[in-house]
Amino acid sequence: MAQINAMLLDQKNTSNSWQETTCRWLQSNKEVWKSWIPDESQCFPGFGLYDSVLEDFTEQRVNASNPIVCKACASGTFSKALSDSIGETYICAPCAKGTSQDMGAATYCKPCKSGEYQDEIGSRTCKRCDIASYQEEQGAEECKSCPASTTTLGLGSALRADCGCQKGFINTAEP
């Protein structure tokens, strides 16, 4: 309020128009009003730094030669906090092996369920374990093979107990 009163008093004392008075105030008080302008590279969760010229996500905004803005993270990535010399923002990072994210603007990646795995980074979905393999744990990067001469009835087996005799064989192992 004190700054507004000072500007009004300046206009009264100089008899300048409100436009001239305002312009003079803006030129002499840059450190005050610059903080009022939003930083287009200050991203919120779910979004990440995006180079609008290269049309690609980036992990830095300090000393960037192109305009940096915020854009929703794509499927297969999540929004991760970043602290730099400018302040706090977010970047889009690929989902790690053993995880996936099928939604955009996500803040985390989901671990693969039992019976699934993911051996690549940046994936939208997890893969189901192949026939003759299983995975009991969540967040796996690979499936475990069934014991020799055993198989599963289908894809996505989540238990070792799903491994049974192959067609035409009899299980003689004791329980």
Side-chain angles (χ1 to χ4, degrees):
M1 192 61 157
Q3 292 175 1
I4 292 172
N5 286 334
M7 197 174 1
L8 291 171
L9 183 61
D10 180 41
Q11 182 184 11
K12 180 181 176 188
N13 292 338
T14 62
S15 298
N16 291 133
S17 70
W18 67 268
Q19 294 97 335
E20 291 172 310
T21 305
T22 304
C23 184
R24 189 171 41 254
W25 183 88
L26 288 171
Q27 290 174 340
S28 62
N29 290 285
K30 282 184 180 177
E31 66 284 343
V32 174
W33 62 263
K34 273 232 179 225
S35 64
W36 301 344
I37 299 172
D39 179 359
E40 288 190 41
S41 69
Q42 187 175 4
C43 303
F44 294 100
F47 291 75
L49 298 175
Y50 186 79
D51 186 315
S52 57
V53 173
L54 296 177
E55 296 183 352
D56 197 14
F57 288 97
T58 182
E59 294 186 4
Q60 68 172 3
R61 61 182 172 167
V62 179
N63 300 325
S65 57
N66 297 327
I68 303 297
V69 296
C70 297
K71 187 173 179 180
C73 294
S75 300
T77 66
F78 71 103
S79 184
K80 177 179 163 185
L82 170 75
S83 292
D84 60 17
S85 61
I86 298 172
E88 299 291 321
T89 192
Y90 287 83
I91 59 171
C92 296
C95 292
K97 291 180 179 182
T99 68
S100 68
Q101 182 51 263
D102 59 347
M103 306 289 288
T107 56
Y108 63 93
C109 295
K110 300 179 274 189
C112 295
K113 299 175 186 175
S114 299
E116 298 178 341
Y117 72 102
Q118 186 47 261
D119 56 353
E120 300 174 23
I121 62 168
S123 297
R124 294 178 178 185
T125 60
C126 293
K127 303 172 186 176
R128 291 176 17 189
C129 292
D130 290 329
I131 292 176
S133 66
Y134 67 97
Q135 182 50 261
E136 297 170 318
E137 300 172 17
Q138 293 185 2
E141 296 179 20
E142 61 184 18
C143 293
K144 300 172 185 174
S145 296
C146 287
S149 301
T150 65
T151 190
T152 58
L153 295 176
L155 300 172
S157 294
L159 301 170
R160 186 180 184 278
D162 292 341
C163 298
C165 287
Q166 295 177 7
K167 185 177 180 179
F169 288 84
I170 299 173
N171 185 0
T172 60
E174 294 184 34

